[in-house]
Amino acid sequence: MFYTQSVEDTLSSLECTKKGLSSKEAKERINHYGKNSIPEGKKSNLFGIFLEQFKSPIIYVLLIAAIISFVIKEFGDAGFILAVLFINAFIGTYQEYNANIRADALKKVLKTYVTVLRDEKKIQLLSEEITVGDIIFFESGIKVPADVRLIETNELEVNESLLTGESIDIYKESSYISDDADEPIGDRKNMLYAGSMVTKGRGIGVVTAVSYQSEIGKIALLLSKSKISKPPLIMRMEKFSLNISKIIGVVVLLIIAVGIYQQSPLKDIFFFTVAMAVSTIPEGLPVAITVALSVASASMSKRNVIVRKLSAIEGLGSCTLIASDKTGTMTENKLSVEHFITPDKVYDTKENIDKNILLASVLCNEAVFNKDENDFYFIGDQVDVALAKYALDIDANLFKLKNTLSPLASTAYEPQNGYSAISYEIDSKKMDFIKGSPELILQKCQLDKDNFETLSKQVDAWALEGFRNIAFAYRLNEKEGIAEDGYNYLGFAAIMDPLREGVEQAVLKANSAGIEVVMVTGDHPNTAFYISKGLGIVISKDEVMDGLSVSHWQERGAPKEEIANKRVFARVSPQQKQLIVEKFQALGHFVAVTGDGVNDAPALKSANIGISMGKSGTDVARESSDMILTDDAFSSIVNGIEEGRVAYDNIRKVIHLLISTGFAEIVLIVLSMLFFTPIPLLPVQLLWLNLVTNGIQDVALGFEKAEPGVLKRKARDPKEPIFNTVMISRVVVGGLYMGISAFAVFYTLLSYGYTEDTARNITLFLMVLFENVHVFNSRTEKHSIFKINHRKNKFLWMSVIAAQGLHLISMYTPFMQNILNIKPIDAELGVVLLVIALVLIAVMEFEKILRKKYLT
């Protein structure tokens, strides 16, 4: 705890001096402490990403089916299954590999150099080459490479927002010694921390911690744990696959029992078992889901969201709570003058204003600002930068004036003084300008008691709205030096870290979609409260909880329900952010976390869905996230939620098509067992249905556009299974009609003396027709298919034509005739079968009417 020690005690503890280390000492210390770098997490190569595509319960089931098929020498069946698994793996690998490439492209490639005292000489070193005990020199624009105890400071200010979440620059003072061992990072005035940026002044310090011993390193250690939370889609598919496996087991045992009871030959029992297993397993599901997610990934990319894991897409659509950082996420992390308040009027930005106010804003300003071919650029304290931008936006000619004038006298800003002042000769008159806290500036102005009280109340009113207020005054002064009083009061600038464009609308959209939004920030509670109140996140301060309260809550072992109604968590540490996310998850929420700083990384890692900022975010934050916003806009999250919901809807459509047709196949086979008929469809014919003819339309369903009101629906219950009441009703009704109709045709054909092969051929053709008709029923769960726009998904029409055409071609191709045991059928019979298939539309429309009346 070097912030509680004097400079001398710190140097003694580190066994070094102000003269720095020798090269030999530095080498020994680097060997002991390690290089000042935090290794990136192990990345999957292309082959590793490919193998990841096979880590799914439904894939395991299909692999087992393929192995069994090989063992029993059903090589055609095994080949079909393996083909679909590899197609799925190739599609998923392509998408995720490209996403990782795009994410890596966002990384900064510049090396950080620092000035270090080695062998009693100043030299430039890469930041990774410094070690504990090194003496480092700082000035404006330098990125702090390690944790440092300051030895000397000269008006040193630092931006620590990426570590603490606090957007205001922090004044540093080497002589400060804390008497609180638990003092928050943001209050340790004698310390600099890795990742911070020097915005003003100069300083010298000694390195106290590098790599994993630094504050950033400690956060990195929190991230070394594997991500425990799973995207909702993975959880739902695991349950779905487990249920499918159970159904397969039960059905197989049933077939064996019935076969033994009927004294059927073992060969027949075996083929019935294989046929039933093939019917039950939705072989085309992995490819169809991957395609649906890939389509959503492409759509998200166009809407500024890079998806690093396909499964995270549906997860974003499933989230019930967004835990967002404030600084850099909801706000721009750039202070700006929102208003200027004079005694008589409130001015907005770029509005005509008293020239003396503009002069004071530019001349009484310690920021460094220059101009390139296109625009101004600034270095320095964020308040000074905001004031300079404000004035130059109104009158760019002030830049030239600033460069032509030389100050006659100046008083630099010091926190203990609370103001800065400067004198210039303008138009042959000596003018003093002063700026600082309104309370102090008002005391230096010529005001009577009533005016003083009125103006003080005016300042207080704006402070209560969350603004940081900086007042200005000026006077003509013929004497040398800067006047102490007698100033003319100009007013004050109301400064705030402005909201990102579209944030307020995005929060409203999220709320209308049934998604709760909470703010989790390292910023001051008052600032967080007023920002969140303006966004509609909170109504009262009772909904705000600070880091100290979180600590006491932890110590008491209080129940997680205590935070259920809190909507703002301020002045919290990275570890507390992570804890808050985990507690909301324990309350039953699927949590999406947004952030840009190192301090957000643990929460990003623990979230169900982690979303980092692509422009302003740190590499640590991006590496910890599932998605990256390339435009840093909170509104893009809502766009992502919409695409995630569309993806989930499309996955449900795919599952409905595959499971209902699979259920129809089960009904068909069970009826054949009960009526003692031969097997209606051979295993290879079932695979043809499931993988080829059905495998074209289900992929097309992945391209479906959003249905009306997708963002006006309430967020799904995280515990809701894929097979809810709606899905079960649709699958059972559709499957029963298709299965019973197909068996009736098969049974009738056998009764009229058709051979088994001919009856199977006709039944197979009917099932292909059922699939091509049923895909249109699968397009919507609630609306009539006669009321939806069928021109939106042209690929669906193409898939239906392709599937039906492929089967017709196979019926006339000798090679396929032999494999599938099929042949052409009469056109007249084909029309009859088409009519039977089209009746399915009326059946499903009637199901929607009954479901709407009795089940909703």
Side-chain angles (χ1 to χ4, degrees), residues 367-602:
V368 176
F369 42 100
N370 290 297
K371 189 176 184 181
D372 57 20
E373 294 180 359
N374 300 315
D375 204 355
F376 295 102
Y377 60 92
F378 305 85
I379 299 174
D381 175 79
Q382 284 206 55
V383 171
D384 281 337
V385 169
L387 292 168
K389 283 183 177 180
Y390 167 71
L392 293 174
D393 279 347
I394 296 174
D395 186 358
N397 292 324
L398 292 171
F399 175 71
K400 294 180 182 178
L401 179 64
K402 166 89 169 177
N403 288 335
T404 58
L405 295 177
S406 297
L408 302 175
S410 64
T411 300
Y413 175 81
E414 295 288 350
Q416 57 268 31
N417 297 333
Y419 74 95
S420 64
I422 200 161
S423 290
Y424 285 97
E425 184 176 332
I426 301 174
D427 297 334
S428 301
K429 297 177 181 178
K430 181 174 177 290
M431 296 185 70
D432 295 351
F433 296 97
I434 188 171
K435 85 167 189 294
S437 67
E439 296 81 5
L440 188 145
I441 300 300
L442 285 170
Q443 291 175 7
K444 292 180 177 289
C445 293
Q446 304 177 79
L447 298 168
D448 58 33
K449 183 178 179 181
D450 290 341
N451 278 333
F452 183 89
E453 291 179 355
T454 299
L455 294 173
S456 295
K457 289 178 180 178
Q458 186 184 47
V459 171
D460 291 341
W462 282 86
L464 286 172
E465 293 299 320
F467 288 95
R468 185 179 186 185
N469 301 322
I470 303 295
F472 290 90
Y474 81 100
R475 65 162 291 175
L476 298 176
N477 180 21
E478 296 179 357
K479 298 179 180 179
E480 291 186 3
I482 298 172
E484 287 295 326
D485 50 29
Y487 283 87
N488 301 301
Y489 180 68
L490 290 169
F492 62 91
I495 300 175
M496 185 174 280
D497 186 1
L499 294 174
R500 286 191 177 276
E501 186 177 352
V503 171
E504 188 173 358
Q505 294 85 347
V507 171
L508 288 173
K509 278 187 178 180
N511 290 334
S512 67
I515 300 166
E516 298 178 30
V517 178
V518 301
M519 182 185 290
V520 186
T521 178
D523 215 337
H524 192 279
N526 286 343
T527 306
F529 169 70
Y530 289 110
I531 291 288
S532 58
K533 185 179 180 182
L535 291 173
I537 295 175
V538 298
I539 297 175
S540 71
K541 285 193 174 182
D542 292 337
E543 298 172 274
V544 180
M545 193 175 192
D546 61 20
L548 185 60
S549 299
V550 173
S551 297
H552 292 162
W553 172 61
Q554 276 183 276
E555 292 167 1
R556 290 188 290 111
K560 56 184 178 292
E561 285 74 17
E562 279 195 19
I563 71 165
N565 296 320
K566 302 297 181 183
R567 288 295 170 267
V568 173
F569 300 88
R571 277 282 194 238
V572 291
S573 68
Q575 294 86 345
Q576 288 176 329
K577 286 189 178 185
Q578 185 178 24
L579 173 71
I580 290 163
V581 169
E582 291 170 350
K583 291 303 180 183
F584 273 116
Q585 288 172 327
L587 286 167
H589 283 288
F590 276 125
V591 181
V593 170
T594 71
D596 63 345
V598 175
N599 59 317
D600 301 312

Side-chain angles (χ1 to χ4, degrees), residues 718-735:
K719 296 179 181 179
E720 178 186 281
I722 290 176
F723 271 86
N724 57 3
T725 305
V726 174
M727 180 73 80
I728 293 172
S729 172
R730 300 182 74 214
V731 165
V732 170
V733 172

Side-chain angles (χ1 to χ4, degrees), residues 833-852:
L833 296 176
L834 178 59
V835 171
I836 295 173
L838 289 173
V839 173
L840 178 60
I841 293 176
V843 171
M844 295 308 297
E845 289 294 294
F846 188 59
E847 182 274 338
K848 289 175 188 174
I849 294 172
L850 292 179
R851 172 160 43 87
K852 186 176 181 180

